[in-house]
Amino acid sequence: MKSTQLLFAAILLTAAAVAAGGQGLPAPAQGPAAVPATEGATVPDDSQAPAIPVPSAIPGTGARAASEIGTLPDAVQTLLSFNPADVKFDVNDLMGILSDRRHEGWVLAAYPDPKTGQPLIGAGFSLDLPARVHMQHDALNPRPFLEPSSAELWQAAGLDRVKLKGILDQFYARQEAWSKRTFRRHIFTLDSQITEDDANALLRIGIIQAIDNAKAYCRYFDQLTASQQMAMTQLVYQMGVNLEEFSSFLTLVNRDDAYALDAASRADTHFWRDVQLSLVQSQWARLYRARATAVIAMLDPQYGDNPAGAEHSIAAILHPARHRGRASLRTASYTRRHSTAAHKRARRTRKE
């Protein structure tokens, strides 16, 4: 009788344990190897699991989780898929050129564009441009233009979007409180809002966008020399959609007869001289003489053999602009980075 009561009590205890979801039952032993979660198995604690390495989006721009890449806008994903082998020049070389005061300069706080007043940072990276539709008017060029917003480019560079908002809020507060002259006077004393690495990441992603759009402007981009590809990319980086206005230049670089299969035709110095002259005669070249001289010279098919001679040839026909009062802010640049080297190059150009 007593044994029967004990057996009945054991059955009741077992049933209660099952009804409670197994509470009070000993946990199964944990092995070192991870196994799929099955009925009755214990799921490992994620907080104790080793971190999974994530792929880098772009060299120098930090890491981005693979799951996040799949949720990014199409334009950003296109930028992140850039392959350095797609161009003949080294992107790092162009980064060094654009960050020099002869070109864009280098400022780690938001400052106004001297022409439009819009906020820029780093090497002329625009901070508040909206995404735009840029129609492809060349029926023979299948490449679409890529015009994401500044926020999307910021995201592609791997930077914090909340930080961008804070930078813009501070910029507009200063712009409202200061005159243009006051803002200009404070440029050298502003506290840095981004790091050197941040500015390099923004510059790199801006160059990648410019390369993509340079291919949309020039249907024969892949056939250009390394220096010519770099020149086209620089033009797009500085002018953006405004390069559409250089109709004579774009018509020339897209001429079918200039790109015959033989290399001799592509290196026709007379043809490329006409291309260069179409830019020399522009207002852009007159306003930004030093920069224009360097960029236009790169279009010379023989530039790689004699860069100094190519620049001298352009400088000889590009007369300096006549400025009244101070030079424009972009021409003078906002930064002292590389200033010594830049001044030496400028003096050499003037002497030549």
Side-chain angles (χ1 to χ4, degrees):
M1 179 67 178
K2 186 174 181 180
S3 60
T4 302
Q5 291 175 338
L6 290 173
L7 179 59
F8 184 72
I11 292 172
L12 290 175
L13 288 172
T14 302
V18 172
Q23 283 184 335
L25 295 178
Q30 296 292 317
V35 294
T38 59
E39 185 177 355
T42 302
V43 180
D45 182 3
D46 289 341
S47 64
Q48 302 301 320
I52 301 175
V54 295
S56 295
I58 297 175
T61 63
R64 188 181 299 281
S67 59
E68 183 187 352
I69 291 177
T71 63
L72 293 173
D74 291 343
V76 175
Q77 293 190 50
T78 299
L79 293 170
L80 296 181
S81 66
F82 171 73
N83 184 351
D86 290 342
V87 291
K88 297 176 183 178
F89 64 89
D90 189 333
V91 171
N92 291 323
D93 290 343
L94 183 52
M95 288 177 66
I97 291 173
L98 291 176
S99 61
D100 190 285
R101 65 178 295 150
R102 188 185 183 188
H103 295 266
E104 292 290 346
W106 193 256
V107 188
L108 300 183
Y111 63 94
D113 183 285
K115 185 176 181 180
T116 66
Q118 297 302 110
L120 307 175
I121 204 166
F125 179 87
S126 296
L127 289 170
D128 68 347
L129 289 179
R132 292 169 290 181
V133 176
H134 188 168
M135 298 298 295
Q136 174 58 274
H137 300 294
D138 185 354
L140 299 179
N141 193 334
R143 300 279 307 200
F145 287 97
L146 192 67
E147 302 290 356
S149 67
S150 297
E152 289 172 330
L153 290 171
W154 184 276
Q155 184 181 13
L159 305 189
D160 183 5
R161 284 170 287 181
V162 175
K163 186 175 184 179
L164 173 60
K165 183 180 183 305
I167 292 174
L168 285 173
D169 288 345
Q170 191 170 13
F171 169 82
Y172 287 122
R174 286 170 172 167
Q175 194 175 51
E176 186 174 348
W178 295 345
S179 66
K180 291 182 180 179
R181 180 176 296 181
T182 301
F183 213 143
R184 182 166 61 239
R185 207 166 49 235
H186 282 79
I187 291 298
F188 292 120
T189 60
L190 293 176
D191 292 333
S192 296
Q193 295 173 306
I194 60 174
T195 67
E196 292 273 345
D197 287 344
D198 292 341
N200 279 316
L202 292 172
L203 176 55
R204 181 178 289 273
I205 205 68
I207 288 174
I208 291 172
Q209 182 201 7
I211 290 171
D212 206 273
N213 285 342
K215 293 181 178 183
Y217 277 117
C218 179
R219 65 177 85 134
Y220 304 107
F221 182 89
D222 291 339
Q223 296 173 254
L224 300 179
T225 66
S227 64
Q228 289 171 338
Q229 287 186 352
M230 186 180 284
M232 284 295 303
T233 302
Q234 287 188 73
L235 288 169
V236 176
Y237 188 92
Q238 184 184 15
M239 301 181 196
V241 297
N242 293 325
L243 189 58
E244 289 277 7
E245 299 175 9
F246 289 68
S247 56
S248 297
F249 167 74
L250 294 176
T251 298
L252 284 170
V253 297
N254 285 308
R255 270 177 51 188
D256 292 333
D257 59 347
Y259 296 92
L261 294 179
D262 59 297
S265 179
R266 293 200 298 273
D268 185 342
T269 55
H270 295 292
F271 165 76
W272 284 106
R273 192 62 168 180
D274 289 342
V275 173
Q276 290 176 308
L277 289 175
S278 71
L279 290 175
V280 166
Q281 297 164 1
S282 68
Q283 184 180 13
W284 162 76
R286 292 192 295 272
L287 289 177
Y288 307 108
R289 182 178 183 271
R291 178 176 191 167
T293 298
V295 175
I296 297 173
M298 288 183 178
L299 292 170
D300 186 336
Q302 307 302 323
Y303 178 86
D305 298 330
N306 186 9
E311 287 200 21
H312 175 78
S313 175
I314 298 301
I317 58 176
L318 184 56
H319 300 291
R322 296 179 180 178
H323 292 290
R324 293 183 179 179
R326 298 185 180 182
S328 70
L329 297 184
R330 185 183 290 275
T331 304
S333 181
Y334 285 125
T335 180
R336 295 187 177 91
R337 187 186 190 205
H338 309 311
S339 59
T340 302
H343 281 308
K344 288 181 180 178
R345 282 195 298 273
R347 285 198 296 271
R348 285 200 299 270
T349 302
R350 286 195 292 270
K351 288 179 181 178
E352 293 170 348

